[in-house]
Amino acid sequence: MTDWLLCSHTLPTILKRALTIVRPKPGKPDYLVPKVYRIISLLPTLSKTIEHVALARMTAFALNCLLRLQFACLKGYSPLDAMHLILEKVYKASNDKLYSSALFLDVQGAFDKVLHQRLAEIMTKNDFLPYLVDWVQLYLLDKSVRIMDGTASEPSFTPIQVGIPQGSPLSLFLFNIYSSPLCYNHQRLGVDFMVSYVNDYCLLAISVSW
């Protein structure tokens, strides 16, 4: 069934609906601010199963565009590995009497800002099979969400026109594909080294002085 859904560019609309639970983060001073609430999306189990199969097929094409310095979805790579790599570069520069300057960036709301057409262009450019590109576009099309707080809920599902679902099996992979051009162009920014973990980036410049 999963093979047919992928090859025929099909995914039932009911599998694209998410029930979203709103939970307050503990210890916050003001609960009138939306950012103090955590959003938890409940996705259909069958949808997650199909996504895992799609992910397994797309992973074979990952190295066409992902760098080894993108640590989010490559097997055997963890945030701790990324930190060790950064420290190794800094210690080596120090031993060579050089100075290291680091800029750490966190892209807020990164998953919500993914443009679907741009994602398709990047996948096509990096030789993903056409049926996988088309299926991802279908997967992202016509998604909807209904927000609940435990006592009440929205009367209907609200369409989502942009972004990728955070927390799904495909989320990290698709965002890494989408952001991969940034990692290829880091030398244009005047930095010697760049490491990323999902939406967190480290830009490292090494020089003879500050």
PDB file of all heavy atoms in Angstrom, residues 28 186 189 200:
ATOM      1  N   LYS A  28       6.859  30.290  33.833  1.00  0.00           N
ATOM      2  CA  LYS A  28       6.883  31.525  33.056  1.00  0.00           C
ATOM      3  C   LYS A  28       6.132  32.634  33.804  1.00  0.00           C
ATOM      4  O   LYS A  28       5.089  32.382  34.425  1.00  0.00           O
ATOM      5  CB  LYS A  28       6.265  31.315  31.679  1.00  0.00           C
ATOM      6  CG  LYS A  28       6.991  30.268  30.835  1.00  0.00           C
ATOM      7  CD  LYS A  28       8.406  30.708  30.531  1.00  0.00           C
ATOM      8  CE  LYS A  28       9.128  29.682  29.661  1.00  0.00           C
ATOM      9  NZ  LYS A  28      10.504  30.084  29.338  1.00  0.00           N
ATOM     10  N   HIS A 186      28.898  29.168   2.794  1.00  0.00           N
ATOM     11  CA  HIS A 186      29.400  29.847   3.986  1.00  0.00           C
ATOM     12  C   HIS A 186      30.705  30.603   3.727  1.00  0.00           C
ATOM     13  O   HIS A 186      30.978  31.606   4.384  1.00  0.00           O
ATOM     14  CB  HIS A 186      29.597  28.829   5.118  1.00  0.00           C
ATOM     15  CG  HIS A 186      30.750  27.905   4.924  1.00  0.00           C
ATOM     16  ND1 HIS A 186      30.646  26.726   4.233  1.00  0.00           N
ATOM     17  CD2 HIS A 186      32.048  27.982   5.323  1.00  0.00           C
ATOM     18  CE1 HIS A 186      31.807  26.116   4.218  1.00  0.00           C
ATOM     19  NE2 HIS A 186      32.691  26.850   4.876  1.00  0.00           N
ATOM     20  N   LEU A 189      30.588  34.224   3.169  1.00  0.00           N
ATOM     21  CA  LEU A 189      30.366  35.063   4.339  1.00  0.00           C
ATOM     22  C   LEU A 189      31.672  35.427   5.039  1.00  0.00           C
ATOM     23  O   LEU A 189      31.657  36.145   6.040  1.00  0.00           O
ATOM     24  CB  LEU A 189      29.441  34.343   5.326  1.00  0.00           C
ATOM     25  CG  LEU A 189      28.077  33.907   4.784  1.00  0.00           C
ATOM     26  CD1 LEU A 189      27.332  33.101   5.833  1.00  0.00           C
ATOM     27  CD2 LEU A 189      27.251  35.109   4.352  1.00  0.00           C
ATOM     28  N   ASP A 200      20.074  25.456  14.193  1.00  0.00           N
ATOM     29  CA  ASP A 200      21.143  26.090  14.958  1.00  0.00           C
ATOM     30  C   ASP A 200      22.429  26.034  14.148  1.00  0.00           C
ATOM     31  O   ASP A 200      22.811  24.971  13.641  1.00  0.00           O
ATOM     32  CB  ASP A 200      21.342  25.381  16.298  1.00  0.00           C
ATOM     33  CG  ASP A 200      20.134  25.518  17.203  1.00  0.00           C
ATOM     34  OD1 ASP A 200      19.638  26.648  17.355  1.00  0.00           O
ATOM     35  OD2 ASP A 200      19.679  24.499  17.753  1.00  0.00           O
TER      36      ASP A 200
END
